[in-house]
Amino acid sequence: MRLPEPPDLARPRWRLALTALLVTLVVAVVLGFRDGPDLVRSLGDTDDAMRLALVRELLNGQGWWSQHLMRLQPPTGVYMHWSRLLDGGIAGLERIFALFVDWPRAEWLTRLIWPMLWIFPAVIAMLAAADRLSERPAGAPSGPMVKAPGAVLIAAAMLMIDITLYPQFRPGRIDHHDVQMTFCFLAFAGAVQRGPGLKGPILAGVATGLGVAIGLEALVFEAAIGAAIALRFVFDGGQARALRAYGLALAATTTLAFCIQTPPWRWTVSACDALAFNSTAAIVVAGMAVAAIATVCEARKPLIRFLGLGVGAVLTVGAYLGLDPHCIRGPFADVDPAIRSLWLVHVQEMRPWPVVFKRKPEDAIALAAAPLIGLIALAWLGRRRAMRQDPALRLSAGLLLLTMAAGFSGVRMSGYADWIAMPIIAAAAADAADTVARRHHREALITVIIAGLVAMPVTYAQAAAWIDKTVTTLTAPKGGKKAEPEPADHCFQSWPYRTLARAGPPGLVLDEIDLGPVILDNTADSVMAAPYHRMSWGMLAARSVWSANADDGTAEARARALGIRYVVECDAHRHHADRLGLSADSLMKRLDEDEDQPDWLERLNPPESAVEVFRVRPKAVVMPAGDGKARPS
């Protein structure tokens, strides 16, 4: 009895959506049970906590366009560069839940559900891309297409099994990375679609516009996707309608998002780190330029089309840099150089891949597994000349290499390469299975299943990590003294800050850089420092106190001059980079060693607390008249 052929999960399209929904539900259940319980103890990392602070202020009556946060580095405050669109979306979801439960439960449900809502569009984008990459010309490149069956099935299996793909989609992850990744994947899926319809290019344009409105993290990838659509028009004038639709959708979406999330009085303000006047103008110029070129040059020669697009590119760059020349140095162009060495170069998620490999080889291997297998899959698919000429495969290859380069220079970006590799691997596995089944008369379904299992990146990553750990154990010196374990890091959990919340009237807190958002969420206090590049004044002011001598009056004088009322530090972070360059008698080093605190500080935390909380004692002054006794000021 012969087995049935591998099911076509992409036709009709409702099957694709149903498959993506099934993958989403399975992954969401796993992530929910694994990470959901932690939501009651921790508010996530610094970005998650900061996003929650922004959402709470919006729900508590702060205006939509009131984005100047005075609880960060007062008295100047900070105008945050984060997208208000996400604040509004998260706040809206919480309001819906609040119709049925109380506000604390509504917030918990929002933090649980919001990140996993983005799994579905990300998965459906990858499944659609896998389906497209599984197509190949039956003969000539412009001839009829045949499809290797099983690509969507293999992609769905990989996306369902490989939970390591979803660190940015886990419960509590409400910052912005998951949303940016999803819009980038949707733009990719739209750009690789084939046919006379305009849904693909419109999707690419809309997704790109929304993606850059959320943040500029994936701007390079989205620019590459747009360039691929434009180059397709250069070699094929019949793509004029698609390019025109993409350009108009991009310009309209970006303009609308900018106007919605940007206060009118800042519409003419330029910035390098967010969607602002200069970047919006450049994107609108780019979109309108490609739309105009597609209309005017449709019947022209390829060279004329190419030159026209070149003029559009020059106008785009001119609009961007003409409005703010500083932005030629990138999104961190306006960052104070003093905080680069103090904080920015030490951010863990910005570490390059070789540094991760040196410190944690198993993590580095896991990060590299899917992209490396993706390169092998590209070589397999590109063995046919017709496939090498396929614009979809060319875009996939370019995007994979670009995301790999970004992940190599900063591990935070490695997730993009992992996801982009998935449809490429699935298409290659399905093609290999189809080739084996046809040549050797094997059951197609069994061959597809075997090919899918062999292609699983998670299998190779786990095997390589196990081998690395085994070799490390066998080659470790015997009888050597074991390093003392690092103290448990509870600094980002909520319970250690109850003491500060009950300490008395809210005030300004001298804090470690990473603890600022956590303090904002758990108390009514303001903070001097937080891990954001627009807070250079607060970071440097806090550093001036932390680095000062704890006993000769220098640290006290600087703290009082800034209006510091409380001091918070976590000795579990004693080996963090913000301690580099501090002397043994500095305030931070003194508190790290848990010695007697300086006389001008009053300890508030109980002995078992994970963080040290101090109140600055009132300063004693001699009154010129009266009983002559020293009284607190």
Side-chain angles (χ1 to χ4, degrees):
M1 182 177 66
R2 292 183 58 84
L3 293 175
E5 291 293 312
D8 185 358
L9 299 179
R11 299 291 187 279
R13 281 303 187 184
W14 63 264
R15 290 187 179 180
L16 193 72
L18 188 61
T19 304
L21 180 60
L22 177 61
V23 173
T24 301
L25 291 176
V26 171
V27 173
V29 169
V30 173
L31 294 178
F33 278 101
R34 189 191 69 179
D35 300 323
D38 290 337
L39 297 183
V40 299
R41 296 186 291 268
S42 172
L43 299 177
D45 71 3
T46 55
D47 285 351
D48 299 322
M50 190 68 242
R51 178 67 69 185
L52 185 60
L54 295 172
V55 171
R56 285 178 175 177
E57 294 205 4
L58 183 61
L59 288 171
N60 289 331
Q62 186 178 23
W64 176 261
W65 283 326
S66 300
Q67 300 171 22
H68 195 159
L69 304 180
M70 295 306 299
R71 292 180 66 197
L72 295 174
Q73 63 174 23
T76 63
V78 175
Y79 189 91
M80 284 296 289
H81 60 291
W82 285 8
S83 171
R84 205 58 162 167
L85 297 178
L86 286 191
D87 298 339
I90 297 171
L93 182 62
E94 186 170 339
R95 281 190 176 276
I96 293 174
F97 286 136
L99 298 175
F100 309 98
V101 296
D102 57 30
W103 279 103
R105 288 188 178 89
E107 183 178 273
W108 180 86
L109 284 171
T110 301
R111 294 172 57 222
L112 175 72
I113 299 298
W114 174 265
M116 296 189 292
L117 288 178
W118 297 95
I119 296 176
F120 175 76
V123 168
I124 202 169
M126 292 299 103
L127 295 183
D131 178 61
R132 170 64 183 85
L133 292 174
S134 68
E135 299 177 354
R136 65 178 185 271
S142 59
M145 305 294 292
V146 296
K147 184 166 65 173
V152 176
L153 177 63
I154 294 174
M158 289 194 293
L159 292 167
M160 187 183 298
I161 294 173
D162 194 355
I163 301 299
T164 61
L165 287 169
Y166 301 94
Q168 303 295 351
F169 297 83
R170 67 183 186 274
R173 202 74 172 124
I174 59 173
D175 53 4
H176 42 256
H177 297 300
D178 48 3
V179 183
Q180 290 178 122
M181 293 177 71
T182 298
F183 282 128
C184 179
F185 302 153
L186 288 171
F188 167 60
V192 298
Q193 296 307 305
R194 177 194 301 275
L198 300 180
K199 293 181 180 179
I202 291 175
L203 172 62
V206 171
T208 299
L210 292 175
V212 296
I214 299 302
L216 305 183
E217 176 180 280
L219 178 61
V220 175
F221 311 144
E222 290 156 343
I225 292 170
I229 298 174
L231 288 175
R232 197 179 305 170
F233 165 72
V234 170
F235 297 104
D236 180 7
Q239 296 294 321
R241 292 180 66 246
L243 181 59
R244 185 164 51 247
Y246 166 79
L248 294 176
L250 173 63
T253 304
T254 305
T255 303
L256 182 61
F258 171 76
C259 292
I260 291 175
Q261 74 175 13
T262 308
W265 52 89
R266 292 184 64 88
W267 282 357
T268 58
V269 176
S270 295
C272 304
D273 56 359
L275 185 66
F277 179 55
N278 54 333
S279 49
T280 302
I283 294 173
V284 171
V285 167
M288 299 304 293
V290 297
I293 293 164
T295 302
V296 174
C297 301
E298 179 176 0
R300 303 284 184 174
K301 295 180 179 180
L303 179 60
I304 301 299
R305 294 197 289 264
F306 179 77
L307 292 176
L309 291 175
V311 172
V314 171
L315 293 175
T316 299
V317 175
Y320 184 62
L321 297 181
L323 292 170
D324 194 342
H326 286 90
C327 294
I328 196 173
R329 294 182 293 175
F332 295 128
D334 295 325
V335 173
D336 190 330
I339 70 169
R340 289 183 180 271
S341 58
L342 171 65
W343 161 71
L344 189 58
V345 298
H346 301 293
V347 177
Q348 291 189 13
E349 62 184 15
M350 301 297 290
R351 293 175 298 173
W353 186 87
V355 174
V356 179
F357 183 80
K358 184 177 180 180
R359 296 181 180 179
K360 292 185 177 181
E362 63 276 11
D363 291 350
I365 292 171
L367 292 173
L372 292 178
I373 298 174
L375 292 178
I376 298 173
L378 277 175
W380 173 267
L381 292 174
R383 76 191 190 279
R384 298 188 182 94
R385 181 181 179 183
M387 285 298 292
R388 292 196 299 271
Q389 296 176 350
D390 185 358
L393 187 63
R394 290 179 175 180
L395 172 57
S396 302
L399 203 55
L400 178 61
L401 292 174
L402 192 59
T403 53
M404 288 180 67
F408 185 84
S409 60
V411 294
R412 183 182 72 182
M413 306 299 290
S414 60
Y416 287 88
D418 291 342
W419 278 82
I420 295 298
M422 287 296 152
I424 301 173
I425 296 171
D431 185 80
D434 184 59
T435 301
V436 171
R438 291 177 182 274
R439 290 183 180 179
H440 300 283
H441 306 288
R442 302 294 182 185
E443 291 284 356
L445 182 58
I446 294 178
T447 313
V448 164
I449 293 173
I450 294 174
L453 293 174
V454 171
M456 289 283 181
V458 66
T459 304
Y460 297 95
Q462 291 176 346
W466 179 84
I467 293 172
D468 175 76
K469 189 173 295 185
T470 302
V471 171
T472 302
T473 302
L474 294 176
T475 57
K478 304 297 182 182
K481 184 179 179 181
K482 295 183 179 180
E484 294 184 4
E486 290 287 332
D489 188 351
H490 299 294
C491 306
F492 297 106
Q493 296 188 354
S494 297
W495 62 268
Y497 299 93
R498 295 171 186 167
T499 299
L500 179 60
R502 297 192 295 259
L508 179 58
V509 179
L510 173 66
D511 61 307
E512 298 178 25
I513 292 176
D514 287 339
L515 301 185
V518 187
I519 295 172
L520 291 184
D521 284 338
N522 289 288
T523 73
D525 298 289
S526 302
V527 295
M528 201 71 232
Y532 304 106
H533 61 271
R534 290 193 175 188
M535 289 192 61
S536 58
W537 179 83
M539 288 187 200
L540 295 175
R543 177 74 172 187
S544 71
V545 183
W546 285 123
S547 61
N549 190 293
D551 297 309
D552 68 356
T554 308
E556 177 186 3
R558 292 177 180 178
R560 294 189 187 279
L562 292 170
I564 301 296
R565 178 171 291 175
Y566 303 104
V567 176
V568 173
E569 72 99 40
C570 184
D571 58 7
H573 294 172
R574 64 179 60 193
H575 299 304
H576 281 199
D578 57 354
R579 271 69 167 176
L580 295 176
L582 297 182
S583 62
D585 57 2
S586 65
L587 176 61
M588 181 170 277
K589 285 286 190 179
R590 173 80 173 273
L591 298 181
D592 277 342
E593 298 303 323
D594 202 24
E595 299 176 358
D596 292 336
Q597 71 271 11
D599 293 338
W600 55 280
L601 291 180
E602 175 189 1
R603 184 184 296 273
L604 301 179
N605 61 285
E608 69 277 6
S609 180
V611 299
E612 305 281 354
V613 181
F614 304 91
R615 179 190 287 118
V616 177
R617 297 182 187 275
K619 185 177 182 180
V621 296
V622 177
M623 304 298 292
D627 56 14
K629 295 182 180 180
R631 297 176 181 175
S633 60

